[in-house]
Every structure is written in structure tokens, then in C-alpha cells.
Amino acid sequence: MNIAILGYGTVGSGVALIIEQAHTPFTKKLHVKHILIRKGKNKILSTMCDDIHTILNDKDCDTVVETMGGIEPAHTYILQALKSGKHVVTANKAVVAKYLQEFIECAKENHVKFYFEATTGGGIPWIEGLDKAMRIDEIDHIYGIFNGTSNYILDHMERYNADFDKILKEAQSLGYAEADPSADIDGFDIRNKLRISASLAYAFHVPEDFPVYGIRTITKQDITYFKHLGYHIRLVAKTKRQGNKYGCVVEPVLFPQNEIESNTKNNYNVITLHGKTIGDLKFYGQGAGKLPTANAIVQDMIDINENTTRFETSFTNQMHYDKSLCLCDYIVRTSTKAFGAFSDCSYTLDTYQGCEYLHIKKVAVYLMHQYMREVMKTDPNAFMASIFEGENDD
């Protein structure tokens, strides 16, 4: 298989490295023929080019690997490659979340493959596992830790009784967090991964307009309080389905100490699906990083090269977002002057080390996020988390 890699950053160079080392009979069948770099950059390798048409017009190039990130020109290049009769493999969660249906339908029309395992869960074979589960079961529930950066921050704040800003800087120095960490700590990276997962599970391209709440305002005192109650906190994506109705949310979740999620450390991810016959099925591993992500890309290329059969998604279902489908208990830390936002809720008040925490009973997730938007206008440092309730968690 002759391959073109679009982008030679962290992930693209990782793909090239795995193929260059070629330890197995499968990887020895892969050959990097082109590497697309930006115009004006030095072509330090003989395979480098700066014109996408060099790749599109090469009939001997079988597969395009897109690792540039972002929406454009990635979206355009992926479509051009598919229409040129080339398979495409990508790790770009943002562009896949937005254009998943278009890419899959374009691949089918042109009798090529579009694979994207590395977009969700890094090196974890999550998409493949979801595909296999769907061959037997209707998936009615997915939840998990989809982001290594946020998990590293929360885990290390807990373990070392440290402030958010200190651990964020540590994560940035280790390369886990970007200079602008917004996508990770505000939940937008996880939103993309949840959209991809739910879209596959429901055979319906899920829009992005569901509630997202991140960890930017969490304090070490919050974490101390949650531990006092017997909880560990993680930033989690959740989706639930009942018939043709579904709900999705990204928010901090409090897990009892004995749950796997509570014991998922550092930059690791754990993702759970639920089906009628399989029950809960969990996938654990490194959710990011140069070589784990590159590994997932190379696995996709091997599947294409070996003509491995996969479940093919058709976006034929008509699904409807139900604002009342998901219900949760919440704990909110805010100032007294913001309590009025919850006047319609049933809650109790707990004071811990000078901070006031509202324990709110059974609120629709969508409504709770609306309440918090109002609270943040008055108290921009407020924080909330839902409470996990096991297999029946809403």
C-alpha cells in the first residue's frame, strides 16, 4: 500500500515512524510515498511535497492519511482524495464530527474506505469495538472519559491537593495540553468525540447543540469536598437513547471510589457502551499521544490493505433530541446570591470549609445547564458536577 500523509506534526510523524520501523509482516506492506507540508517549509525528506494535486494525481497512491487537524483545508482535501478513488484515514475529530455523514457517503459513492478510529479514544480500539457491538445489539447508552488532558488535570489535582492553574501548566509542559487549552478543559474536544460515537451508535448524524460544561472553574477545595463525600470527579461525555429519542451531554461527573472511572489515572481514557446482550462493555487505554494515536491510524490502514470487513454505517434513522430524557442529581458550588436560579428545584444546602454547596435532586440535564448559564452571570467562578448512578445513570 502506497500512502500519502497530509501534515507532518506530532501524529503524522508518528505514523511515518511506525511504518519506517515496520516490525510486523502487516506494517512491512505499507510504504510512505508522499508527505504534504505547508508551502514555504523546507522539504527535509525526499517524500515531501507542498501541492495536494501531486498526491491526488498519483494513481499509485492508494491511501491518504489526514493528520493536519482543523476544518479547512482538511475537509476539502479529504473529499478530493475520496473522489480521486483513494482511501482516507484520519485522526481529525473536529472535521469528522462535523462532516461524518458526508465523508462516509462520499466514500461509498466512490467505492473506497473512510476510517477514523484515531479520532476517538486515541490508541483505544473504541470505534472498532462499537462497530462490533452494533452487529448484535442496539446501543442505548455510552459514557466515559474521552479526554486525556482533562483527566490528567483532575487526577493530579486530587492526588497532590493542587490548584487547577498549577496542574494545567504542568500538563502543558508535558505536552498533554495545548498553549490554548480551551478545547480540552471546556469540553469541546469531548463534544466532538461524543458526536462521532453517538452518530455511529444511532445511525443518525448527531448535531452539536447539546449541553457542554467543562472544568475551568473547579478548585482544589471542590475536590477535597467531593472526596469527603466519597467521590472522585472526572469530565465525562454521556449519551442515552430510548427508541427514536436521544440525549447527549458533556459535564463533570462524580463517581464513587470503587468505580473504574475513579481509578482512571493520568492521561488515560475509559469508555463504556451498553447493549441488551453484551451489557456494559468498557474500553481502557491511552486516549492521546503521538504513538498511541498513530498506532490507531496504522491499524486502520492495515484493515484496508487486508480488506478486513467492517460494519458499514448508514444514516437512515430519524432521531429527536429529548431535553427531558436525561435526569441527574447535581452538586453546585456557588454564592448565596445565585441560589435563586434553583428556586424550582428540590435541594439541600451543605457548608464545607466556608463554601456553600447545593445538593440538587433529579433535574433534567438540559435544564440544569440552563440554570448554570444564569448562575455564571452572577457568579462566574461557580462549579457544578452530576452524580453517577451506575448502570441506570440518566
Side-chain angles (χ1 to χ4, degrees), residues 115-130:
Y115 285 175
F116 46 95
E117 179 69 66
T119 62
T120 308
I124 304 170
W126 161 245
I127 300 296
E128 178 185 359
L130 179 59

Side-chain angles (χ1 to χ4, degrees), residues 140-142 202 210-211 238-242 245-249 251 321-330 362-369 386 389 392-394:
D140 55 29
H141 199 171
I142 294 169
Y202 305 155
F210 52 81
K238 301 185 288 184
T239 183
K240 181 179 181 180
R241 171 186 186 173
Q242 286 183 355
K245 300 184 296 183
Y246 76 96
C248 289
V249 64
E251 63 186 7
Y321 188 90
D322 187 336
K323 294 181 180 180
S324 62
L325 183 60
C326 297
L327 299 172
C328 286
D329 292 349
Y330 283 87
K362 286 294 175 228
V363 180
V365 166
Y366 197 93
L367 187 59
M368 185 65 190
H369 283 245
S386 64
E389 296 181 349
N392 296 317
D393 180 38
D394 289 323

Side-chain angles (χ1 to χ4, degrees), residues 26-68:
F26 297 102
T27 52
K28 287 176 181 177
K29 295 177 184 178
L30 308 178
H31 170 67
V32 178
K33 191 173 184 186
H34 301 288
I35 297 172
L36 183 71
I37 60 174
R38 292 177 184 171
K39 291 188 183 295
K41 296 199 76 173
N42 291 332
K43 298 174 184 175
I44 58 175
L45 299 174
S46 61
T47 50
M48 288 181 169
C49 65
D50 59 11
D51 187 349
I52 186 65
H53 293 95
T54 301
I55 295 166
L56 298 175
N57 295 331
D58 185 350
K59 294 181 180 179
D60 292 328
C61 179
D62 307 296
T63 301
V64 169
V65 175
E66 187 275 307
T67 64
M68 297 181 298

Side-chain angles (χ1 to χ4, degrees), residues 101 104-105 108 199 202-204 311-317:
Q101 182 172 354
I104 288 179
E105 291 176 351
K108 287 180 181 179
S199 295
Y202 305 155
F204 167 77
F311 183 88
E312 291 194 359
T313 301
S314 296
F315 296 93
T316 54
N317 284 346

